[in-house]
Amino acid sequence: MPKLRYLGHSAFYIEGTGLKGLIDPFLTGNPLAAAKAADFTDVNAIFLTHCHGDHLGDTIEIAKRTGATVFSCNETAGWLASQGIKVEGMHIGGRARFEFGRVKLTPAWHGDPIIEDGKPRYGGVACGFVIEVDGRKVYHSGDTGLTMEMKLLEAEKIDVACLPIGGYFTMDYEDAARAVEFIRPLKAVPMHYDTFPPIKADPKVFAMQAHENAPGTEIVIMKPGETLEF
Ligand code: NI
Ligand code: MN
């Protein structure tokens, strides 16, 4: 059974056959971080939804130290490759098979600037991921508003959907509950809340609303450090 460990904010560790992966590993400077970057010595994949600091986080340091491949949109991947990092520069809607399973990039309504010499430049587009391992599917939406494209994910038969609920930069709990209704995953995990003052949110209110919209989905509120087998 693959495992998903919540590391706080939008950061997760995902482990299954052939996969020891991190998603948006913002650990250093993350007030909710349940692990340190240095704890991850054996990682073969990093899934990066976009380059805002609270997602890029420790990606470059961990990738350089462990040799992990970073999965991201193509423009971001080009920037990382120029720093000597192994990359898979895919793009929105694209799916490909790897040793551990398939990966698909999904649309996210958000920005993806690369900061170089203190100045932002075009980094491609923000994305989410559908990651398959051991026959299970995890959808991590990245930072995004609610989109109609999420309705298309219903046909993917998602096992676990990780969705932001904090509002301000992303969906709030009401829109996240609508996303659950669109996607109808077996389980949904709230993320991207409480880390900073503008994104304070009560995951229990999200859980109640999501349950009303989509009673077939189990809402799993994970504390940083907790692990979900799926
Ligand atoms: Ni962002
Ligand atoms: Mn963010």
Side-chain angles (χ1 to χ4, degrees):
M1 242 184 180
K3 289 178 193 158
L4 191 66
R5 181 171 174 228
Y6 187 41
L7 302 174
H9 199 55
S10 290
F12 290 85
Y13 175 70
I14 180 169
E15 189 178 305
T17 306
L19 177 63
K20 290 179 175 178
L22 285 162
I23 309 172
D24 285 355
F26 166 49
L27 302 169
T28 306
N30 174 355
L32 301 180
K36 292 193 195 72
D39 298 342
F40 296 95
T41 54
D42 185 17
V43 175
N44 62 6
I46 299 175
F47 303 93
L48 176 62
T49 64
H50 64 297
C51 288
H52 285 152
D54 59 319
H55 299 261
L56 179 67
D58 299 290
T59 296
I60 292 170
E61 189 276 315
I62 296 171
K64 282 187 175 169
R65 180 164 47 77
T66 61
T69 299
V70 179
F71 293 73
S72 68
C73 83
N74 200 274
E75 292 85 346
T76 296
W79 174 65
L80 294 168
S82 74
Q83 301 176 59
I85 289 168
K86 273 189 265 168
V87 295
E88 290 290 346
M90 299 170 67
H91 232 300
I92 303 298
R95 174 138 56 194
R97 183 176 292 281
F98 302 94
E99 274 176 33
F100 58 84
R102 297 189 302 170
V103 175
K104 185 180 190 179
L105 266 63
T106 58
W109 278 109
H110 202 69
D112 184 21
I114 288 167
I115 309 293
E116 242 177 3
D117 302 324
K119 292 193 190 105
R121 69 170 176 89
Y122 179 70
V125 294
C127 69
F129 289 98
V130 175
I131 302 163
E132 295 179 40
V133 63
D134 295 327
R136 306 291 163 126
K137 284 186 186 176
V138 173
Y139 167 55
H140 184 294
S141 72
D143 280 1
T144 183
L146 180 66
T147 80
M148 281 305 289
E149 278 74 9
M150 287 175 180
K151 188 81 185 139
L152 299 173
L153 291 168
E154 190 181 354
E156 292 274 354
K157 301 204 186 311
I158 300 292
D159 291 283
V160 183
C162 304
L163 301 168
I165 66 160
Y168 202 94
F169 306 108
T170 68
M171 296 187 281
D172 63 4
Y173 79 89
E174 281 184 281
D175 278 353
R178 294 191 69 199
V180 173
E181 190 181 341
F182 284 178
I183 301 161
R184 297 195 180 272
L186 284 181
K187 295 183 166 77
V189 177
M191 64 177 183
H192 209 270
Y193 67 97
D194 279 0
T195 324
F196 315 112
I199 59 169
K200 280 261 169 232
D202 184 348
K204 292 196 197 77
V205 178
F206 160 70
M208 275 190 293
Q209 186 67 55
H211 182 71
E212 203 171 294
N213 294 5
T217 296
E218 181 192 352
I219 307 301
V220 182
I221 299 171
M222 296 180 77
K223 288 198 192 78
E226 284 184 350
T227 297
L228 175 69
E229 295 198 352
F230 61 96

